[in-house]
């Protein structure tokens, strides 16, 4: 004996799902057969219409089958359960009308019995073999008429279930051990009235042979097998309980009867003529190398599929099932398009539409109406107060067949931004000019417009770029740490390079710096000429004054410039401008032994005065000059010519 877990019948959903499928498939199949009958018998009398769907003989049906048999479990008493098993049997039916039949069936089921709940702890559940004989009589309703290839159906009927324990089960029940353990005194047959309900579908595979699939629910009282009907300490089964079962089967069907032969249909009248319709499309602007699409509005009153043979200037294209046609002209001019429309099932039914004349235009290049620059006069980068950019604009008209235009701006010198648009910008600050006096350049801006066909046109505009004299930068004067004395190398830059060029075209600009590790001020001391003690002064300012004094000293080793030709700016520790010491270094040696050049360290580079030549009357200053101002003449006179 084997102990098993109590569970509900797992097959309860099978029958509702199957019946739902039958209810969906049945009307669909019925509708398909009805439509076929209507088409096959149009124009005949009612009797012919009814007989038209009876294509297969099926007066009598014999159905041997096999499948599975599933039963539920009682939740009372010891939990009587018929175990899942198999079934086999045969059905015989007569179709008494087009949709109704009467069927007698017998099937044999093998469903062993398990009393799931042990009668006392420690004992296994009690199992025994069982066979079931089921006899039933059912009316059957078929959704499709007799003779149909597919016949979904539903049925409900009544019969008798004969539950028979196997010989082994009866012998085991009489065994002394089982009588002692289970209090059993034997098993006996049990007969119950049963209701069956369900449905299925039958398929005609040939005139006298087919397949059948069937699902049915079974409802009856539970069998007691002669066991006590109440708990007396041994095995017992509570009687008169509802018992549910399910069988799902598949089988063969053998059909008997004669096949209905419908009368031949009446001759069909000749079909109406095809409506040739018109050729539409091919209007508007039509261009070379672009597809032209046309459409035939032909129609057939019979609804048959149509085939089309299109011709262009008499040259026929391959037959097509499409009412649309496309061709690509490779030249300008007139094209004549026509179409022959035929019934695909009857080529003798043919009509012709057209010809329709379609005109293709010639290709022409784009037309440039104007190219302009605004303003037409610009300044170079050195003139910081001038205008450096000009807006380039153009008006271009593309040809009707040219398609979208692309644009390209080029200039003879300089740079252009947004150069692939009708509106671009020219930047004159990228032009290079020689140092010196006033200069001027003429820049030619050219627009080339190209269409999708590759045809292009070009036009130019001129821009004048003026450049005033530009400032020059000379090497920086480099100083010793915390020192404002101009060494010999610095004097060489001031006297031999700056002074000769100043006075006619240029003024001199001195931009003084000190490094962050130097003292902010120089200590107080005597002036170069001796008597008066000078006050403490900022280190960068003193360096600028000393350099200016070398330019205006007028005797000894100094130059003789007018102080009005010199400007200075104090940058303090600002080192944003790039140092340019040239070949000049620093030296802490006495003046008599000082060298003109030496290697410059990174720290030395920041202890400097920048020297610039600025064009006279120019507002253009180098970036290093933030607040240029005239040099103080009294201070320079006091300093004299520094040693």
């Amino acid at each position: 004996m084997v102990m098993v877990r109590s569970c509900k019948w797992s097959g309860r959903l099978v029958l509702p799902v199957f019946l739902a499928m039958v209810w969906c498939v049945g009307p669909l199949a019925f509708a398909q057969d009805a439509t076929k009958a209507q088409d096959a018998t149009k124009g005949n009398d009612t009797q012919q219409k009814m007989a038209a769907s009876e294509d297969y003989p099926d007066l009598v049906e014999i159905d041997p089958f096999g499948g599975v048999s599933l039963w539920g479990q009682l939740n009372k008493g010891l939990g009587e359960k018929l175990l899942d098993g198999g079934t086999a049997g045969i059905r015989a039916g007569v179709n008494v009308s087009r949709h109704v039949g009467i069927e007698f069936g017998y099937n044999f089921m093998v469903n062993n019995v398990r009393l799931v709940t042990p009668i006392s702890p420690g004992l296994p559940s009690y199992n025994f073999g069982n066979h079931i004989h089921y006899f039933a009589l059912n009316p059957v309703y078929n959704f499709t008429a007799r003779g149909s290839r597919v016949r979904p159906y539903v049925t409900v009927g009544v019969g008798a279930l004969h539950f028979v324990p196997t010989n082994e089960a009866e012998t085991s029940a009489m065994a002394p051990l089982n009588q002692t353990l289970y209090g059993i005194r034997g098993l006996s047959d049990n007969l119950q009235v049963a209701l069956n309900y369900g449905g299925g579908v039958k398929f005609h595979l040939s005139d006298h042979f087919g397949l059948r699939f069937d699902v049915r629910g079974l409802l009856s009282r539970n069998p007691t097998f002669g066991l006590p009907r109440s708990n007396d300490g041994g095995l017992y089964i509570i009687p008169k309980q509802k018992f549910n079962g399910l069988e799902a089967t598949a089988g063969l069907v053998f059909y008997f009867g004669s096949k209905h032969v419908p009368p031949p249909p009446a001759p069909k009248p000749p079909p109406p003529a095809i409506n040739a319709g018109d050729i539409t499309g091919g209007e508007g602007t039509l261009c070379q190398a672009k597809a032209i699409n046309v459409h035939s509005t032909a129609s057939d009153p019979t609804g048959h599929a149509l085939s089309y043979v299109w011709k262009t200037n008499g040259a026929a294209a391959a037959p097509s099932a499409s009412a649309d046609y496309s061709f690509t002209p490779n030249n300008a001019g007139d094209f004549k398009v026509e179409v022959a429309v035929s019934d695909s099932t009857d080529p003798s039914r043919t009509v012709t539409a057209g010809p329709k004349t379609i005109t293709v235009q010639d290709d022409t290049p784009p037309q440039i109406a104007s190219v302009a620059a605004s303003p037409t006069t610009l300044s170079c980068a050195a003139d910081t107060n001038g205008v450096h950019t000009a807006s380039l604009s153009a008006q271009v008209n593309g040809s009707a067949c040219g398609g979208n235009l692309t644009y390209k701006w080029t200039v003879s010198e300089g740079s252009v931004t947004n150069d692939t648009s009708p509106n671009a910008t020219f930047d004159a600050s990228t032009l290079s000019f020689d140092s010196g006096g006033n200069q001027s350049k003429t820049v030619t801006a050219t627009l080339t417009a190209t269409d999708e066909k590759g045809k292009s046109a070009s036009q130019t505009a001129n821009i004048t770029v003026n450049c005033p004299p530009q400032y020059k930068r000379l090497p920086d004067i480099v100083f010793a740490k915390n020192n404002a004395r101009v060494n010999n190398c610095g004097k060489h830059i001031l006297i031999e390079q700056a002074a000769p060029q100043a006075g006619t075209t240029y003024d001199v600009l001195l931009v003084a710096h000190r490094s962050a590790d130097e003292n902010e001020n120089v200590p107080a001391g005597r002036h170069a000429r001796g008597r008066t003690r000078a006050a403490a002064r900022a280190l960068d300012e003193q360096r600028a004054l000393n350099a200016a004094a070398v330019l205006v000293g007028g005797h000894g080793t100094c130059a003789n410039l007018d102080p009005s030709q010199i400007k200075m700016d104090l940058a303090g520790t600002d080192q944003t401008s790039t140092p340019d010491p040239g070949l000049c270094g620093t030296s802490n040696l006495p003046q008599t032994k000082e060298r003109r050049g030496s290697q410059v360290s990174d720290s030395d580079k920041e202890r400097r005065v920048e020297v610039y030549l600025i064009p006279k009357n120019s507002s253009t200053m180098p970036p290093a000059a933030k607040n240029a101002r005239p040099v103080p003449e009294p201070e320079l006179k006091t300093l004299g010519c520094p040693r």
Side-chain angles (χ1 to χ4, degrees), residues 379-517:
S379 297
C380 67
D383 183 3
T384 57
N385 294 322
V387 178
H388 302 128
T389 61
S391 298
L392 303 176
S393 61
Q395 292 183 349
V396 184
N397 299 315
S399 67
C401 292
N404 295 327
L405 296 174
T406 58
Y407 304 89
K408 182 62 178 178
W409 286 94
T410 58
V411 289
S412 57
E413 187 177 355
S415 63
V416 179
T417 57
N418 202 27
D419 61 346
T420 58
S421 168
N423 301 306
T425 301
F426 168 69
D427 188 356
S429 62
T430 59
L431 270 66
S432 60
F433 290 86
D434 296 333
S435 60
N438 287 315
Q439 300 176 66
S440 180
K441 288 186 176 182
T442 299
V443 177
T444 300
T446 303
L447 171 69
T448 300
T450 306
D451 63 20
E452 293 180 359
K453 298 295 184 66
K455 296 192 174 184
S456 62
S458 299
Q459 194 166 319
T460 63
N462 291 329
I463 304 169
T464 300
V465 182
N466 297 320
C467 193
Q470 302 180 49
Y471 66 83
K472 298 180 182 180
R473 182 175 181 180
L474 301 179
D476 295 349
I477 302 172
V478 182
F479 295 81
K481 185 175 182 180
N482 295 320
N483 196 310
R485 174 178 169 272
V486 180
N487 61 19
N488 289 340
C489 184
K491 290 181 179 179
H492 168 77
I493 295 171
L494 294 170
I495 296 172
E496 297 183 15
Q497 297 184 48
Q501 299 184 67
T504 56
T505 305
Y506 295 98
D507 290 334
V508 178
L509 172 66
L510 304 172
V511 182
H513 300 261
R514 64 180 176 85
S515 64
D517 62 348

Side-chain angles (χ1 to χ4, degrees), residues 176-384:
L177 178 60
N178 286 337
Q179 291 182 4
T180 300
L181 293 176
Y182 295 98
I184 189 171
R185 298 293 181 267
L187 298 172
S188 62
D189 298 357
N190 200 201
L191 184 65
Q192 298 288 348
V193 176
L195 177 72
N196 74 84
Y197 54 92
V201 61
K202 294 176 280 190
F203 298 92
H204 260 289
L205 301 182
S206 67
D207 285 352
H208 298 286
F209 179 72
L211 295 177
R212 177 172 176 174
F213 300 94
D214 186 279
V215 175
R216 300 196 187 190
L218 300 171
L219 178 63
S220 74
R221 290 184 175 180
N222 65 309
T224 60
F225 298 102
L227 293 176
R229 300 189 174 194
S230 62
N231 188 358
D232 60 357
L235 297 179
Y236 70 98
I237 296 177
I238 297 176
K240 299 181 181 180
Q241 301 300 311
K242 184 175 68 174
F243 220 39
N244 288 305
L246 172 72
E247 63 174 17
T249 62
L252 305 176
V253 184
F254 298 95
Y255 296 98
F256 300 92
S258 59
K259 182 176 181 180
H260 175 78
V261 179
K268 294 181 180 180
I274 296 174
N275 176 18
D278 297 318
I279 297 176
T280 60
E283 288 87 16
T285 301
L286 306 177
C287 305
Q288 302 175 46
K290 286 191 175 182
I292 297 175
N293 301 309
V294 293
H295 175 77
S296 170
T297 62
S299 60
D300 185 2
T302 65
H304 291 179
L306 299 176
S307 63
Y308 304 82
V309 176
W310 291 89
K311 291 182 179 180
T312 306
N313 289 343
S320 170
S322 174
D324 297 307
Y325 174 62
S326 177
F327 70 98
T328 303
N330 54 13
N331 59 277
D334 291 339
F335 292 79
K336 297 186 180 299
V337 178
E338 59 184 309
V339 61
V341 185
S342 303
D343 183 345
S344 296
T345 60
D346 184 4
S348 64
R349 299 178 62 224
T350 301
V351 294
T352 300
K356 177 178 182 176
T357 300
I358 295 175
T359 301
V360 177
Q361 297 187 13
D362 199 0
D363 293 339
T364 58
Q367 299 295 316
I368 300 179
S370 65
V371 171
S374 178
T376 58
T377 301
L378 301 176
S379 297
C380 67
D383 183 3
T384 57

Side-chain angles (χ1 to χ4, degrees), residues 8-174:
K8 295 183 178 181
W9 173 40
S10 61
R12 285 182 177 177
L13 292 178
V14 176
L15 180 59
V17 171
F18 184 83
L19 289 176
M21 293 173 60
V22 170
W23 280 101
C24 292
V25 174
L28 178 60
F30 178 79
Q32 290 174 337
D33 280 342
T35 301
K36 184 176 74 171
Q38 185 177 4
D39 290 343
T41 61
K42 193 174 292 184
N44 292 346
D45 57 23
T46 303
Q47 183 178 2
Q48 289 175 325
K49 291 181 180 179
M50 294 177 60
S53 65
E54 298 175 2
D55 298 332
Y56 297 93
D58 57 359
L59 179 62
V60 177
E61 301 176 6
I62 304 297
D63 171 25
F65 62 87
V68 295
S69 174
L70 311 174
W71 290 86
Q73 174 186 323
L74 297 182
N75 294 323
K76 294 184 178 181
L78 298 181
E80 180 183 9
K81 165 68 176 174
L82 296 184
L83 301 180
D84 298 344
T87 182
I90 191 169
R91 301 184 185 96
V94 179
N95 291 309
V96 297
S97 72
R98 298 182 69 245
H99 291 279
V100 178
I102 301 296
E103 184 176 76
F104 174 79
Y106 163 77
N107 55 307
F108 174 75
M109 292 174 271
V110 178
N111 296 96
N112 296 332
V113 181
R114 173 175 292 163
L115 302 179
V116 176
T117 305
I119 62 174
S120 62
L123 283 179
S125 59
Y126 191 81
N127 304 335
F128 60 89
N130 173 59
H131 297 160
I132 304 173
H133 303 275
Y134 182 54
F135 302 87
L137 182 66
N138 284 54
V140 179
Y141 179 79
N142 300 280
F143 289 97
T144 55
R146 279 178 49 189
S148 300
R149 178 180 293 275
V150 181
R151 301 197 76 191
Y153 64 88
V154 292
T155 182
V156 60
V158 67
L161 282 169
H162 188 202
F163 299 89
V164 181
T166 63
N167 293 333
E168 292 80 0
E170 292 181 353
T171 301
S172 177
M174 299 301 296

